[in-house]
């Protein structure tokens, strides 16, 4: 059974950094896509980063490219999101998500914006607040 648990959110000033971690119990296969999504109040869920095939395929939205880094630690069974140079517009609830086994290639790609509807498992979310 797949269970995703996020941690590492918090409050930080603009320009600061945070590292989010997602424990991915029951989801060790390289055939899954793992993604980080965020949702600000009154807005839809936005895919900001995704990783597939052990890291050979990485995606970043234009809004975070060059500032965020997604990685997978197979030894720790986590998917991490390093967030640097944070901006007030990064304020949102951040969610970790995973596809079902074997669906990674469908949901992920270096130029494919991850869609929430393509992901099957979700964490409870962690709040990130960036003040100016």
């Amino acid at each position: 059974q797949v269970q995703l648990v996020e941690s590492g959110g918090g409050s930080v000033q603009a320009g600061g950094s945070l590292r989010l971690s997602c424990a991915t119990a029951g989801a060790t296969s390289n055939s899954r896509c793992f993604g980080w999504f965020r949702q600000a109040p009154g807005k839809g869920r936005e895919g900001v980063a995704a990783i597939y095939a052990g890291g050979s395929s990485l995606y970043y939205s234009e809004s975070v490219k060059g500032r965020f880094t997604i990685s997978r630690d197979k030894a720790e069974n986590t998917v991490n999101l390093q967030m640097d140079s944070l901006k007030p517009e990064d304020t949102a609830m951040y969610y970790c998500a995973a596809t079902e086994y074997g669906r990674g290639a469908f949901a992920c790609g270096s130029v494919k914006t991850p869609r929430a509807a393509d992901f099957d498992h979700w964490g409870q979310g962690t709040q990130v607040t960036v003040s100016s």
Side-chain angles (χ1 to χ4, degrees):
Q1 183 176 359
V2 175
Q3 287 189 320
L4 306 178
V5 180
E6 303 97 335
S7 61
S11 297
V12 66
Q13 289 193 325
S17 298
L18 284 173
R19 182 177 176 85
L20 305 184
S21 185
C22 176
T24 58
T28 58
S29 172
N30 277 349
S31 70
R32 298 183 191 267
C33 176
F34 296 91
W36 282 97
F37 291 77
R38 67 186 181 187
Q39 188 165 17
K43 296 190 175 181
R45 196 163 291 194
E46 173 193 12
V48 297
I51 185 168
Y52 169 60
S56 63
S57 175
L58 300 175
Y59 166 88
Y60 297 98
S61 68
E62 286 300 320
S63 60
V64 307
K65 194 174 292 183
R67 300 188 297 120
F68 290 12
T69 303
I70 189 172
S71 62
R72 186 172 174 206
D73 187 328
K74 295 187 74 174
E76 296 291 327
N77 207 10
T78 59
V79 177
N80 305 302
L81 187 68
Q82 177 66 39
M83 306 187 296
D84 298 318
S85 302
L86 283 161
K87 304 175 181 180
E89 51 263 44
D90 295 318
T91 296
M93 185 72 79
Y94 282 71
Y95 298 90
C96 174
T99 65
E100 196 53 80
Y101 175 82
R103 286 176 48 86
F106 172 77
C108 268
S110 60
V111 294
K112 181 181 175 69
T113 302
R115 301 187 313 155
D118 292 335
F119 287 74
D120 307 285
H121 307 282
W122 292 85
Q124 81 287 354
T126 185
Q127 178 67 37
V128 171
T129 302
V130 184
S131 59
S132 57

mmCIF file of all heavy atoms in Angstrom, residues 14-36:
data_model
loop_
_atom_site.group_PDB
_atom_site.id
_atom_site.type_symbol
_atom_site.label_atom_id
_atom_site.label_comp_id
_atom_site.label_asym_id
_atom_site.label_seq_id
_atom_site.Cartn_x
_atom_site.Cartn_y
_atom_site.Cartn_z
ATOM 1 N N ALA A 14 11.396 36.085 2.043
ATOM 2 C CA ALA A 14 11.756 36.044 0.633
ATOM 3 C C ALA A 14 13.270 35.958 0.486
ATOM 4 O O ALA A 14 14.022 36.626 1.212
ATOM 5 C CB ALA A 14 11.229 37.286 -0.085
ATOM 6 N N GLY A 15 13.696 35.103 -0.449
ATOM 7 C CA GLY A 15 15.117 34.869 -0.651
ATOM 8 C C GLY A 15 15.648 33.683 0.122
ATOM 9 O O GLY A 15 16.779 33.240 -0.131
ATOM 10 N N GLY A 16 14.865 33.180 1.059
ATOM 11 C CA GLY A 16 15.291 32.057 1.873
ATOM 12 C C GLY A 16 15.077 30.717 1.189
ATOM 13 O O GLY A 16 14.666 30.643 0.028
ATOM 14 N N SER A 17 15.362 29.655 1.932
ATOM 15 C CA SER A 17 15.279 28.296 1.398
ATOM 16 C C SER A 17 14.497 27.390 2.336
ATOM 17 O O SER A 17 14.469 27.603 3.550
ATOM 18 C CB SER A 17 16.686 27.707 1.219
ATOM 19 O OG SER A 17 17.444 28.447 0.293
ATOM 20 N N LEU A 18 13.870 26.383 1.751
ATOM 21 C CA LEU A 18 13.237 25.300 2.492
ATOM 22 C C LEU A 18 13.473 24.006 1.727
ATOM 23 O O LEU A 18 13.618 24.014 0.505
ATOM 24 C CB LEU A 18 11.731 25.530 2.639
ATOM 25 C CG LEU A 18 11.255 26.569 3.657
ATOM 26 C CD1 LEU A 18 9.752 26.774 3.526
ATOM 27 C CD2 LEU A 18 11.607 26.144 5.075
ATOM 28 N N ARG A 19 13.477 22.912 2.449
ATOM 29 C CA ARG A 19 13.609 21.590 1.819
ATOM 30 C C ARG A 19 12.421 20.746 2.248
ATOM 31 O O ARG A 19 12.241 20.460 3.437
ATOM 32 C CB ARG A 19 14.910 20.919 2.239
ATOM 33 C CG ARG A 19 15.154 19.564 1.590
ATOM 34 C CD ARG A 19 16.507 19.015 2.018
ATOM 35 N NE ARG A 19 16.785 17.683 1.516
ATOM 36 C CZ ARG A 19 17.290 17.402 0.332
ATOM 37 N NH1 ARG A 19 17.573 18.389 -0.498
ATOM 38 N NH2 ARG A 19 17.517 16.152 -0.034
ATOM 39 N N LEU A 20 11.617 20.368 1.286
ATOM 40 C CA LEU A 20 10.486 19.487 1.540
ATOM 41 C C LEU A 20 10.911 18.047 1.301
ATOM 42 O O LEU A 20 11.687 17.763 0.381
ATOM 43 C CB LEU A 20 9.315 19.831 0.628
ATOM 44 C CG LEU A 20 8.811 21.275 0.651
ATOM 45 C CD1 LEU A 20 7.588 21.415 -0.236
ATOM 46 C CD2 LEU A 20 8.521 21.731 2.067
ATOM 47 N N SER A 21 10.382 17.161 2.114
ATOM 48 C CA SER A 21 10.666 15.743 1.954
ATOM 49 C C SER A 21 9.352 14.966 1.938
ATOM 50 O O SER A 21 8.406 15.307 2.648
ATOM 51 C CB SER A 21 11.554 15.251 3.094
ATOM 52 O OG SER A 21 11.934 13.909 2.896
ATOM 53 N N CYS A 22 9.298 13.938 1.116
ATOM 54 C CA CYS A 22 8.118 13.092 1.024
ATOM 55 C C CYS A 22 8.541 11.647 1.243
ATOM 56 O O CYS A 22 9.302 11.087 0.431
ATOM 57 C CB CYS A 22 7.471 13.243 -0.354
ATOM 58 S SG CYS A 22 6.059 12.162 -0.645
ATOM 59 N N ALA A 23 8.099 11.065 2.336
ATOM 60 C CA ALA A 23 8.355 9.646 2.590
ATOM 61 C C ALA A 23 7.415 8.826 1.716
ATOM 62 O O ALA A 23 6.203 9.043 1.740
ATOM 63 C CB ALA A 23 8.139 9.326 4.065
ATOM 64 N N THR A 24 7.988 7.910 0.945
ATOM 65 C CA THR A 24 7.204 7.210 -0.082
ATOM 66 C C THR A 24 7.108 5.717 0.223
ATOM 67 O O THR A 24 7.528 4.873 -0.569
ATOM 68 C CB THR A 24 7.836 7.433 -1.460
ATOM 69 O OG1 THR A 24 9.199 6.952 -1.443
ATOM 70 C CG2 THR A 24 7.836 8.894 -1.840
ATOM 71 N N ALA A 25 6.513 5.401 1.341
ATOM 72 C CA ALA A 25 6.375 3.994 1.726
ATOM 73 C C ALA A 25 5.543 3.233 0.706
ATOM 74 O O ALA A 25 4.478 3.695 0.282
ATOM 75 C CB ALA A 25 5.734 3.897 3.106
ATOM 76 N N GLY A 26 6.031 2.068 0.288
ATOM 77 C CA GLY A 26 5.281 1.225 -0.635
ATOM 78 C C GLY A 26 5.367 1.646 -2.082
ATOM 79 O O GLY A 26 4.652 1.111 -2.945
ATOM 80 N N ALA A 27 6.264 2.601 -2.411
ATOM 81 C CA ALA A 27 6.351 3.105 -3.789
ATOM 82 C C ALA A 27 7.815 3.199 -4.200
ATOM 83 O O ALA A 27 8.345 4.287 -4.372
ATOM 84 C CB ALA A 27 5.672 4.463 -3.901
ATOM 85 N N THR A 28 8.462 2.050 -4.371
ATOM 86 C CA THR A 28 9.895 2.040 -4.637
ATOM 87 C C THR A 28 10.240 1.897 -6.114
ATOM 88 O O THR A 28 11.371 2.075 -6.503
ATOM 89 C CB THR A 28 10.566 0.889 -3.866
ATOM 90 O OG1 THR A 28 9.948 -0.341 -4.262
ATOM 91 C CG2 THR A 28 10.394 1.073 -2.365
ATOM 92 N N SER A 29 9.266 1.577 -6.951
ATOM 93 C CA SER A 29 9.563 1.255 -8.340
ATOM 94 C C SER A 29 9.957 2.466 -9.160
ATOM 95 O O SER A 29 9.387 3.548 -9.014
ATOM 96 C CB SER A 29 8.347 0.590 -8.988
ATOM 97 O OG SER A 29 8.556 0.447 -10.380
ATOM 98 N N ASN A 30 10.930 2.272 -10.061
ATOM 99 C CA ASN A 30 11.322 3.325 -10.993
ATOM 100 C C ASN A 30 10.268 3.548 -12.074
ATOM 101 O O ASN A 30 10.390 4.485 -12.862
ATOM 102 C CB ASN A 30 12.649 2.977 -11.664
ATOM 103 C CG ASN A 30 13.841 3.355 -10.815
ATOM 104 O OD1 ASN A 30 13.693 4.052 -9.824
ATOM 105 N ND2 ASN A 30 15.009 2.885 -11.194
ATOM 106 N N SER A 31 9.254 2.707 -12.127
ATOM 107 C CA SER A 31 8.223 2.882 -13.152
ATOM 108 C C SER A 31 7.137 3.856 -12.708
ATOM 109 O O SER A 31 6.175 4.088 -13.434
ATOM 110 C CB SER A 31 7.590 1.540 -13.516
ATOM 111 O OG SER A 31 6.802 1.069 -12.437
ATOM 112 N N ARG A 32 7.279 4.399 -11.503
ATOM 113 C CA ARG A 32 6.336 5.419 -11.051
ATOM 114 C C ARG A 32 6.905 6.805 -11.314
ATOM 115 O O ARG A 32 8.114 7.015 -11.306
ATOM 116 C CB ARG A 32 6.080 5.311 -9.545
ATOM 117 C CG ARG A 32 5.458 4.006 -9.083
ATOM 118 C CD ARG A 32 5.202 4.064 -7.582
ATOM 119 N NE ARG A 32 4.859 2.779 -7.013
ATOM 120 C CZ ARG A 32 3.635 2.329 -6.858
ATOM 121 N NH1 ARG A 32 2.610 3.072 -7.254
ATOM 122 N NH2 ARG A 32 3.413 1.143 -6.322
ATOM 123 N N CYS A 33 6.012 7.761 -11.511
ATOM 124 C CA CYS A 33 6.393 9.169 -11.546
ATOM 125 C C CYS A 33 6.038 9.773 -10.189
ATOM 126 O O CYS A 33 4.960 9.491 -9.647
ATOM 127 C CB CYS A 33 5.649 9.903 -12.658
ATOM 128 S SG CYS A 33 5.986 11.674 -12.702
ATOM 129 N N PHE A 34 6.931 10.573 -9.670
ATOM 130 C CA PHE A 34 6.692 11.304 -8.427
ATOM 131 C C PHE A 34 6.665 12.795 -8.753
ATOM 132 O O PHE A 34 7.522 13.287 -9.490
ATOM 133 C CB PHE A 34 7.786 11.024 -7.405
ATOM 134 C CG PHE A 34 7.836 9.610 -6.955
ATOM 135 C CD1 PHE A 34 8.645 8.688 -7.606
ATOM 136 C CD2 PHE A 34 7.080 9.168 -5.883
ATOM 137 C CE1 PHE A 34 8.688 7.358 -7.201
ATOM 138 C CE2 PHE A 34 7.118 7.847 -5.471
ATOM 139 C CZ PHE A 34 7.928 6.941 -6.133
ATOM 140 N N GLY A 35 5.696 13.489 -8.193
ATOM 141 C CA GLY A 35 5.577 14.902 -8.482
ATOM 142 C C GLY A 35 5.324 15.720 -7.229
ATOM 143 O O GLY A 35 4.860 15.206 -6.212
ATOM 144 N N TRP A 36 5.685 16.980 -7.319
ATOM 145 C CA TRP A 36 5.327 17.963 -6.297
ATOM 146 C C TRP A 36 4.345 18.950 -6.937
ATOM 147 O O TRP A 36 4.628 19.512 -8.002
ATOM 148 C CB TRP A 36 6.554 18.701 -5.781
ATOM 149 C CG TRP A 36 7.352 17.909 -4.797
ATOM 150 C CD1 TRP A 36 8.464 17.169 -5.043
ATOM 151 C CD2 TRP A 36 7.108 17.786 -3.389
ATOM 152 N NE1 TRP A 36 8.920 16.589 -3.892
ATOM 153 C CE2 TRP A 36 8.112 16.958 -2.849
ATOM 154 C CE3 TRP A 36 6.138 18.305 -2.521
ATOM 155 C CZ2 TRP A 36 8.170 16.614 -1.491
ATOM 156 C CZ3 TRP A 36 6.206 17.979 -1.185
ATOM 157 C CH2 TRP A 36 7.202 17.143 -0.679
#
